[in-house]
Amino acid sequence: DRNCEIWIGGGSITSTGGATFSLKGYYIFKDNQWINSLDQNYPYNPLYRDFYYLTHDKKSNDMWLSAYYQGILWLKQNGTYEFFDEQNSSLTLSTGMYVSGLVTDDKSNLWVANYSSNTPISVRTSAGVWKSFFAGNNNFLTDPFIDNSGNKWFIVRRNSSGGLLVYNDNKTPLDENDDQFRLLNTNQGTGNLLSNNVLAAAIDLEGKIWVGTDKGLTIINSPNNVFAGRPYDAAQIIIGTGDNAGYLLGAEVITSIV
């Protein structure tokens, strides 16, 4: 939210990660009413479809909105705005490549998931410099968020390995020589996820990572250990006692965590 407002993208994506080409813009709840960006004097670009991912930069109070198809809209607190696409950023947005999530860090650097790109992680520094990064064979990244150590987490979709990708830029966003990444999967010692088909993931107020899959819910209690050489495997939450004990949400399909 910004200024106690609620912002929602009006677009959607298909179950296989494709665009739906929605032209519904985005919605803002303010002054006890919903406003659609197309009905008011808000920035608009007819090429930008499926506004889906949004993030609020708490440091600058700016809003960043990704149109899954074709680019990013930066709405600044001072009322000005900018659009970013292939022409003025490190994003690649050819056929089948999308803006599949974005998040700002505590330095106001913008981190972007560029779905299906050969360099699927992009950063725009607070100084305005763009750069994209290789992530092994993990090109289908979505839904980035940042943990308390500054590591960037991404859901890996449409990949035979799947899982979660954790990226450490070592606090030097433009220097890739000191970067590390880890792929978390179902194997013990490298994630212990219930399934590689991760559908949702989020960080809680204690810094723990909750992971929703098509086979249930797990929690990573020590995400700071991913690059520290210490255990970080996920675990299920046991509820109840004795014969009534079981796992929280069992084998339910978890599609969203907030």
Side-chain angles (χ1 to χ4, degrees):
D1 69 89
R2 181 172 75 168
N3 305 326
C4 296
E5 301 166 350
I6 301 173
W7 293 60
I8 299 176
S12 61
I13 59 177
T14 69
S15 60
T16 58
T20 61
F21 306 102
S22 167
L23 286 172
K24 295 179 180 178
Y26 49 94
Y27 297 83
I28 306 167
F29 185 77
K30 60 185 299 185
D31 301 326
N32 293 315
Q33 64 177 333
W34 284 102
I35 299 170
N36 181 268
S37 60
L38 303 181
D39 297 331
Q40 302 288 333
N41 189 28
Y42 282 89
Y44 173 72
N45 185 326
L47 296 178
Y48 283 32
R49 314 288 178 91
D50 293 324
F51 278 102
Y52 191 70
Y53 296 94
L54 300 82
T55 194
H56 173 224
D57 185 347
K58 295 179 181 179
K59 184 176 181 180
S60 66
N61 209 29
D62 295 345
M63 289 294 299
W64 292 88
L65 297 80
S66 73
Y68 192 68
Y69 180 79
Q70 287 303 315
I72 294 173
L73 170 59
W74 178 20
L75 293 172
K76 306 175 190 179
Q77 170 65 18
N78 64 12
T80 61
Y81 63 90
E82 290 185 50
F83 290 103
F84 295 100
D85 54 29
E86 282 191 318
Q87 306 304 314
N88 61 349
S89 75
S90 58
L91 300 172
T92 51
L93 297 169
S94 302
T95 302
M97 300 180 184
Y98 307 109
V99 183
S100 51
L102 68 179
V103 65
T104 55
D105 63 22
D106 59 0
K107 304 295 184 184
S108 290
N109 300 313
L110 178 74
W111 295 89
V112 184
N114 193 176
Y115 189 85
S116 189
S117 170
N118 289 329
T119 50
I121 300 173
S122 275
V123 64
R124 180 193 181 274
T125 68
S126 57
V129 180
W130 283 89
K131 187 169 183 175
S132 60
F133 304 92
F134 179 70
N137 295 320
N138 307 294
N139 297 340
F140 300 99
L141 304 183
T142 69
D143 301 88
F145 61 93
I146 300 175
D147 68 20
N148 290 347
S149 294
N151 298 320
K152 287 72 185 173
W153 294 64
F154 301 83
I155 294 176
V156 184
R157 300 195 191 276
R158 288 190 59 191
N159 185 305
S160 58
S161 60
L164 288 167
L165 183 80
V166 190
Y167 177 76
N168 175 16
D169 67 296
N170 210 18
K171 303 187 186 304
T172 56
L174 297 178
D175 181 5
E176 59 189 295
N177 294 317
D178 57 3
D179 295 354
Q180 303 178 76
F181 59 84
R182 295 280 187 276
L183 182 67
L184 277 58
N185 52 34
T186 57
N187 297 328
Q188 289 189 2
T190 57
N192 197 40
L193 304 179
L194 289 175
S195 167
N196 286 328
N197 188 13
V198 177
L199 303 175
I203 184 170
D204 68 17
L205 294 177
E206 296 179 350
K208 299 177 181 180
I209 309 296
W210 294 79
V211 184
T213 73
D214 61 344
K215 294 183 179 179
L217 177 72
T218 57
I219 184 170
I220 299 174
N221 289 299
S222 303
N224 295 343
N225 288 351
V226 171
F227 296 104
R230 297 189 295 270
Y232 55 84
D233 276 354
Q236 289 180 279
I237 303 295
I238 298 175
I239 55 175
T241 59
D243 293 339
N244 295 319
Y247 293 121
L248 178 65
L249 297 177
E252 292 288 333
V253 177
I254 311 298
T255 59
S256 181
I257 302 174
V258 294

